[in-house]
Amino acid sequence: MAFLPEKHKSLFPILPLLLLFYVPLTCLCQSTNSSSINATTNPPPTSSNGTSLKGVPGCATDLNPIYRYLCDRRAAWGIVVETLATSGFLFSIGLLLALLLWSLCICISSRNQRSSIGATVACMSMYLLATAGIFAIAFSFIIRLTPQTCPTRVFLFSVLFSLAFSCLLARCLALLGYAAARGWGEPALALGLSTVQVIISTQWLIVVLVRDNKPCGYSQEEFVMLQIYVLCLLAIGLIFALHFLHRSCFTYSYSYTGALRQQSQTQAALLFITLLLSACVWVVWITMLIRGNPEVGHRPQWDDPVLSIALVANGWVLLMGHGLAQIAFFCRGEARSKDVPLSFAGWTSPSADIPGLAGPKEGKENGSYESDSENRRGRRTEKSLRSPYESGFAVTNIDHNKDYTIPRPQTTNYTEPYEDY
């Protein structure tokens, strides 16, 4: 552990996660440090207004220095993060457009499914917009901190992550069957949870911009404190995803078998993995920003690369773990649920092996059955009423001259019944 002093043993439990960030940063920023040393010893000539980048490979000489890491080939981390962020942004927008076109085609083809897919499309659209925004704000950390990029860093960082994690939490609640997340309650719940972070970020941004007449004068510890609500959303979503994974894998039901059970297990696993990897990314960048960079002596130089890499890494986790997979599940489910005529070919009766029940029935076994082919419905050939519960003789055969009353016992001595005693 040569890059960590011996006295900083508190970082050893999360050392495998830190290596995921420190190894790329060491490789990508080594040229940046060497170029800054060379610039200190032999400063390149600049113009009178200080906007010249003469001597920086890949950048124009009249480019503003705040955009240096977008084109500096010696500082490779900026170009790598820029490429990954651009591809992730374009991929997210492409998925969003494909989702909207697919849902539009479904609404046109079958009007009865408009209300059922509207809520799902709305929630997934918000999630993809949040993911695309996460890729987009990575450029504000590649560009140096200025009064123009400060509001973007402070406000959009927490708001976009809160919207993405709120959509994941609402999806977990919807799959668990909570009434608050059914139908249009799912996008409404996600939007309501993210609105709380909008209020928090707005108030904090106003305080930061006007405090002590120092615009953007905040520390990294204060920036991490701003993300407390986002961390709560991430933790709650991870708990519900674990609960859903446990229920889908270890709960058996006769109405919850086959392909439906397999799809539910896959969705639960992807949700849990997405939130778990996101939690790992957040633990790493918070640890490095607060303790790692100052203790290894790279506090000002590595803060922006750490946040940029964290944004791109978490964006790809959100996009591949839930965005692409959820759209695949949605399109596959809607394709299977199209109106198809029912076919009873191959159906067997559970009592087919009982003798006398396997043959075709004509309906003559039922006394009250009449075939429409023989007699028209509503007309009868017999004038007398017949019932399956009547006796063997018909009512029309009764002789009215006969007495059908039940005989009663007769007595001759009814005036004095006890005279013989």
Side-chain angles (χ1 to χ4, degrees), residues 58-243:
C59 298
T61 56
D62 57 346
L63 184 66
N64 196 318
I66 65 174
Y67 305 108
R68 170 183 176 177
Y69 295 114
L70 293 174
C71 56
D72 190 359
R73 292 198 296 266
R74 291 181 300 184
W77 71 268
I79 298 177
V80 172
V81 173
E82 176 187 359
T83 304
L84 294 175
T86 304
S87 58
F89 178 80
L90 294 178
F91 194 17
S92 301
I93 297 299
L95 285 179
L96 178 60
L97 295 177
L99 174 64
L100 295 178
L101 290 177
W102 176 266
S103 59
L104 181 62
C105 294
I106 292 178
C107 292
I108 293 176
S109 60
S110 57
R111 297 181 179 179
N112 55 349
Q113 294 183 358
R114 292 181 180 180
S115 59
S116 61
I117 68 174
T120 305
V121 172
C123 190
M124 293 172 62
S125 299
M126 290 191 302
Y127 181 81
L128 291 175
L129 283 176
T131 306
I134 290 172
F135 286 116
I137 63 172
F139 289 92
S140 66
F141 290 92
I142 301 175
I143 302 171
R144 293 179 182 178
L145 182 62
T146 61
Q148 290 76 27
T149 59
C150 175
T152 304
R153 292 188 179 192
V154 173
F155 183 79
L156 290 180
F157 187 93
S158 56
V159 169
L160 291 174
F161 272 112
S162 66
L163 180 58
F165 293 151
S166 297
C167 292
L168 291 176
L169 176 58
R171 188 58 185 167
C172 290
L173 295 177
L175 292 174
L176 287 171
Y178 286 87
R182 293 178 182 175
W184 284 98
E186 181 180 352
L189 180 62
L191 194 60
L193 291 175
S194 61
T195 305
V196 178
Q197 184 60 40
V198 172
I199 299 174
I200 296 173
S201 299
T202 304
Q203 294 178 349
W204 200 82
L205 179 61
I206 295 174
V207 172
V208 167
L209 292 179
V210 301
R211 182 178 56 183
D212 298 331
N213 295 324
K214 295 179 181 179
C216 295
Y218 64 92
S219 63
Q220 301 297 349
E221 289 77 10
E222 292 175 338
F223 182 76
V224 173
M225 291 291 292
L226 180 61
Q227 318 301 326
I228 291 180
Y229 180 75
V230 183
L231 290 172
C232 293
L233 291 176
L234 178 59
I236 296 173
L238 187 61
I239 293 173
F240 278 104
L242 181 61
H243 173 56

Side-chain angles (χ1 to χ4, degrees), residues 158-394:
S158 56
V159 169
L160 291 174
F161 272 112
S162 66
L163 180 58
F165 293 151
S166 297
C167 292
L168 291 176
L169 176 58
R171 188 58 185 167
C172 290
L173 295 177
L175 292 174
L176 287 171
Y178 286 87
R182 293 178 182 175
W184 284 98
E186 181 180 352
L189 180 62
L191 194 60
L193 291 175
S194 61
T195 305
V196 178
Q197 184 60 40
V198 172
I199 299 174
I200 296 173
S201 299
T202 304
Q203 294 178 349
W204 200 82
L205 179 61
I206 295 174
V207 172
V208 167
L209 292 179
V210 301
R211 182 178 56 183
D212 298 331
N213 295 324
K214 295 179 181 179
C216 295
Y218 64 92
S219 63
Q220 301 297 349
E221 289 77 10
E222 292 175 338
F223 182 76
V224 173
M225 291 291 292
L226 180 61
Q227 318 301 326
I228 291 180
Y229 180 75
V230 183
L231 290 172
C232 293
L233 291 176
L234 178 59
I236 296 173
L238 187 61
I239 293 173
F240 278 104
L242 181 61
H243 173 56
F244 178 55
L245 179 63
H246 179 270
R247 195 187 73 170
S248 61
C249 293
F250 299 101
T251 302
Y252 183 81
S253 176
Y254 287 102
S255 61
Y256 194 62
T257 57
L260 181 62
R261 180 181 178 87
Q262 185 179 2
Q263 180 178 349
S264 177
Q265 290 177 352
T266 306
Q267 284 185 340
L270 289 175
L271 274 173
F272 179 73
I273 292 174
T274 302
L275 289 168
L276 182 61
L277 291 179
S278 299
C280 293
V281 171
W282 275 68
V283 169
V284 170
W285 77 257
I286 290 175
T287 304
M288 293 179 61
L289 199 65
I290 295 178
R291 299 196 58 181
N293 291 346
E295 292 181 355
V296 299
H298 295 287
R299 182 57 183 264
Q301 295 84 11
W302 282 14
D303 287 348
D304 288 348
V306 164
L307 292 172
S308 302
I309 295 175
L311 284 167
V312 173
N314 207 166
W316 277 106
V317 167
L318 295 174
L319 182 60
M320 302 303 296
H322 182 72
L324 182 61
Q326 194 65 26
I327 290 179
F329 285 130
F330 173 74
C331 295
R332 186 184 305 173
E334 293 298 329
R336 291 179 179 178
S337 62
K338 288 183 178 180
D339 297 333
V340 178
L342 295 177
S343 176
F344 298 95
W347 283 32
T348 57
S349 173
S351 58
D353 297 334
I354 302 178
L357 295 180
K361 304 297 182 181
E362 298 180 358
K364 297 180 178 180
E365 294 80 5
N366 190 351
S368 62
Y369 173 81
E370 284 187 355
S371 176
D372 291 339
S373 60
E374 296 176 359
N375 304 318
R376 294 182 180 178
R377 182 172 297 179
R379 298 182 181 180
R380 301 181 184 274
T381 56
E382 297 180 4
K383 297 181 180 181
S384 60
L385 298 176
R386 297 188 60 84
S387 173
Y389 306 103
E390 65 184 3
S391 59
F393 59 90

